[in-house]
Amino acid sequence: MEFPEGEEMEEPKKVAFYTLGCKLNFSETSTIARSFKDEGFLRVDFSEAADIYVINTCSVTDNADKRFKTIVKQAQKANENAFVIAVGCYAQLKPEELAAVDGVDLVLGATEKFKITNYLNDLTKNDMGEVHSCEIEEADFYVGSYSFGDRTRAFLKVQDGCDYKCTYCTIPLARGISRSDTLENVLENGRKISEKGIKEIVLTGVNIGDYGKGEFGNKKHEHTFLDLVKALDTVEGIERLRISSIEPNLLKNETIDFVAQSNAFVPHFHIPLQSGSNAVLKAMRRRYLRELYVDRVHKIKETMPDACIGVDVIVGFPGETDEHFLETYNFLNELDVSYLHVFTYSERDNTLASEMEEVVPLKVRKKRSKMLRGLSAKKRRAFYESQLGKQKTVLFEGENKEGYIHGFTENYVKVKTPWDPALVNTLHEIELQKIGEDGLVRFTYVEEKLPV
């Protein structure tokens, strides 16, 4: 295109994103990024020079809080004059603290983050970050999101917020009440994702088993999580659907039975436990006891013997004695689960747990965490060994990692084979053969066939 003399096409402004925390944050970053694209911005990698850097924060662990300053410095290194914006859970919980970080220009709370482009009229650097935050009670509306994390997998947000009052958790303070997307909108987003050629969708939210609550601006459940699962299973073009994390008390038998015979849902569940001691579960104000957890695991394994089950567990909660911890360790050791996500308890402001006595020394917390991480490695190894000789379907990912391509089976066994770009985002029938020194599984193709 030619421009009249003296006129040049204006270079589009560049924006870069950094996401801390959970899959839900990744899906929301993608939605925010699309709003920038609609305004004519060009998205670049966070390591490149950009006009605006957006950091989507997390507050689940102390580490995420501390990393924020490092990420701001990274942005300043790439462009010292760039406009730096903080959004996300930490931005809602402690906006003034983030605004005081050197280099931060704008902090947006829970309701403002999806209106981010409305705040871009003036990109002049500020001496002190400007804060636009709300009372968390105002975060009562729903904004749908989905992300394309890579070419093979997308995160689809179906629910936000939480009505549970666990004593250690700040998420209700950061994200507000439980509310859901409409079923129609979730299905429409599912269709959009499948049209992009993405083979796997991971359902995400804060408490997805609570799906349906707040769908019409009230607490009435027009639809349930089971309705959602059944409806998504009928969307054409979606090869795989994966449930990310679901509370044990909200994972019903009917849902497990449906997943077992589903077209697209895969036999992989991630179920938070947090402690194997009923005394600790009560102190945490969890909504179940360990007996219910055992029942959920047994039900899954009865209907899907090859199912992968992941577990969240917290160590070092106030009042957790050596006996309580050993209860948890032995409980998990005997349970037929596949891997653990281990969190070392850290005090969060404005939570009941932060005021509890009998604080567990940091050194003891770290030791317990190390023990459970070791148990997790053994559990994963045992699960992989139980799958050897079986035929599964692998979905290959898009990254060349030191000359190899990685992929996951439907039941979350990680495999690798020499890099071949033709394999990216394709599904293949394989037979799992042996576990390599790196802990990943090697395989043979059941039949050479055209990529799906």
Side-chain angles (χ1 to χ4, degrees):
M1 183 188 287
E2 291 195 15
F3 294 91
E5 201 174 330
E7 279 190 38
E8 287 181 15
M9 191 172 107
E10 193 178 324
E11 282 268 320
K13 287 206 181 304
K14 294 175 181 174
V15 61
F17 298 87
Y18 197 107
T19 305
L20 289 159
C22 61
K23 295 180 178 77
L24 181 55
N25 267 8
F26 279 92
S27 76
E28 292 183 342
T29 296
S30 283
T31 295
I32 292 166
R34 282 191 287 277
S35 70
F36 273 91
K37 190 180 175 186
D38 292 343
E39 297 290 330
F41 281 80
L42 177 67
R43 183 174 182 174
V44 298
D45 190 78
F46 201 83
S47 60
E48 296 177 42
D51 300 287
I52 299 173
Y53 292 91
V54 180
I55 304 168
N56 194 351
T57 63
C58 167
S59 68
V60 171
T61 64
D62 266 342
N63 191 36
D65 293 4
K66 288 167 187 165
R67 281 184 65 195
F68 177 75
K69 287 180 184 174
T70 310
I71 296 156
V72 172
K73 281 178 184 165
Q74 242 179 283
Q76 289 177 306
K77 197 174 174 185
N79 179 8
E80 62 181 355
N81 298 313
F83 197 79
V84 177
I85 306 173
V87 300
C89 292
Y90 189 20
Q92 174 64 35
L93 289 171
K94 298 191 175 178
E96 305 297 340
E97 195 174 294
L98 289 194
V101 172
D102 186 41
V104 173
D105 300 290
L106 181 63
V107 179
L108 299 178
T111 58
E112 284 77 21
K113 63 187 170 190
F114 294 110
K115 309 171 197 164
I116 190 167
T117 54
N118 296 350
Y119 293 95
L120 303 180
N121 298 328
D122 181 8
L123 297 182
T124 310
K125 292 290 289 176
N126 297 318
D127 292 334
M128 178 79 177
E130 193 179 312
V131 172
H132 292 273
S133 186
C134 66
E135 292 301 316
I136 198 58
E137 289 75 20
E138 293 170 39
D140 57 0
F141 57 89
Y142 186 86
V143 178
S145 300
Y146 57 89
S147 81
F148 305 128
D150 54 40
R151 285 167 58 186
T152 57
R153 185 181 293 111
F155 301 131
L156 172 57
K157 173 182 167 185
V158 300
Q159 183 273 344
D160 200 352
C162 188
D163 293 340
Y164 288 8
K165 299 289 187 286
C166 302
T167 53
Y168 54 83
C169 187
T170 57
I171 295 299
L173 301 173
R175 285 188 168 269
I177 58 171
S178 179
R179 54 209 189 274
S180 310
D181 206 348
T182 63
L183 189 59
E184 186 183 319
N185 201 42
V186 172
L187 296 179
E188 178 58 28
N189 285 340
R191 281 188 281 271
K192 283 179 187 171
I193 292 167
S194 70
E195 284 163 11
K196 298 267 185 189
I198 287 168
K199 299 284 196 291
E200 181 173 306
I201 293 177
V202 182
L203 302 187
T204 184
V206 174
N207 188 359
I208 64 172
D210 213 17
Y211 176 81
K213 194 186 276 185
E215 193 180 352
F216 300 98
N218 54 37
K219 290 297 173 192
K220 182 183 165 198
H221 274 73
E222 184 76 15
H223 295 105
T224 63
F225 183 69
L226 180 60
D227 293 335
L228 172 75
V229 165
K230 285 181 172 176
L232 276 168
D233 203 48
T234 65
V235 176
E236 280 187 39
I238 300 175
E239 299 278 353
R240 282 184 177 182
L241 285 156
R242 205 177 286 276
I243 297 168
S244 58
S245 180
I246 184 165
E247 294 283 306
N249 52 303
L250 295 174
L251 178 57
K252 306 297 184 191
N253 283 346
E254 295 83 358
T255 303
I256 295 169
D257 287 333
F258 182 79
V259 169
Q261 53 83 54
S262 149
N263 298 316
F265 277 90
V266 295
H268 175 205
F269 295 86
H270 193 93
I271 313 170
L273 168 68
Q274 311 310 13
S275 176
S277 160
N278 280 342
V280 176
L281 287 173
K282 287 174 184 173
M284 290 177 165
R285 290 197 185 165
R286 300 293 286 161
R287 297 197 176 195
Y288 55 86
L289 297 175
R290 55 188 260 160
E291 290 75 16
L292 176 86
Y293 199 93
V294 172
D295 182 67
R296 299 298 76 208
V297 170
H298 287 172
K299 172 66 179 172
I300 291 166
K301 286 294 187 175
E302 273 170 25
T303 50
M304 292 166 272
D306 288 347
C308 178
I309 302 175
V311 184
D312 285 342
V313 59
I314 296 170
V315 296
F317 187 80
E320 183 189 61
T321 62
D322 286 344
E323 289 74 23
H324 291 144
F325 173 70
L326 285 174
E327 255 191 281
T328 296
Y329 187 95
N330 293 330
F331 179 74
L332 288 166
N333 191 33
E334 291 160 22
L335 205 57
D336 192 3
V337 294
S338 316
Y339 63 89
L340 315 175
H341 279 174
V342 184
F343 298 90
T344 305
Y345 171 77
S346 58
E347 287 76 3
R348 319 306 294 155
D349 289 346
N350 301 314
T351 60
L352 286 173
S354 67
E355 297 163 15
M356 290 179 180
E357 295 176 357
E358 298 179 74
V359 173
V360 178
L362 203 54
K363 195 174 169 184
V364 176
R365 296 183 214 180
K366 287 180 177 174
K367 184 183 173 187
R368 291 175 184 173
S369 177
K370 191 175 179 182
M371 284 176 69
L372 281 186
R373 288 178 207 278
L375 179 61
S376 178
K378 286 199 296 190
K379 285 279 180 188
R380 193 185 296 271
R381 175 88 187 192
F383 175 62
Y384 281 9
E385 283 175 355
S386 75
Q387 298 304 298
L388 297 181
K390 295 185 177 179
Q391 293 185 7
K392 298 293 172 190
T393 305
V394 64
L395 173 59
F396 286 109
E397 304 199 329
E399 202 178 334
N400 182 341
K401 294 188 177 176
E402 298 175 353
Y404 286 89
I405 188 169
H406 293 172
F408 285 94
T409 63
E410 61 270 48
N411 62 340
Y412 216 54
V413 174
K414 192 172 185 179
V415 305
K416 71 185 269 192
T417 196
W419 170 256
D420 177 356
L423 291 175
V424 172
N425 199 31
T426 63
L427 288 153
H428 292 272
E429 296 297 315
I430 61 169
E431 184 175 301
L432 302 173
Q433 294 287 324
K434 62 175 184 178
I435 303 173
E437 287 180 11
D438 54 4
L440 305 187
V441 178
R442 309 300 190 270
F443 61 88
T444 55
Y445 292 100
V446 171
E447 53 180 316
E448 284 301 331
K449 58 184 221 177
L450 289 172
V452 178

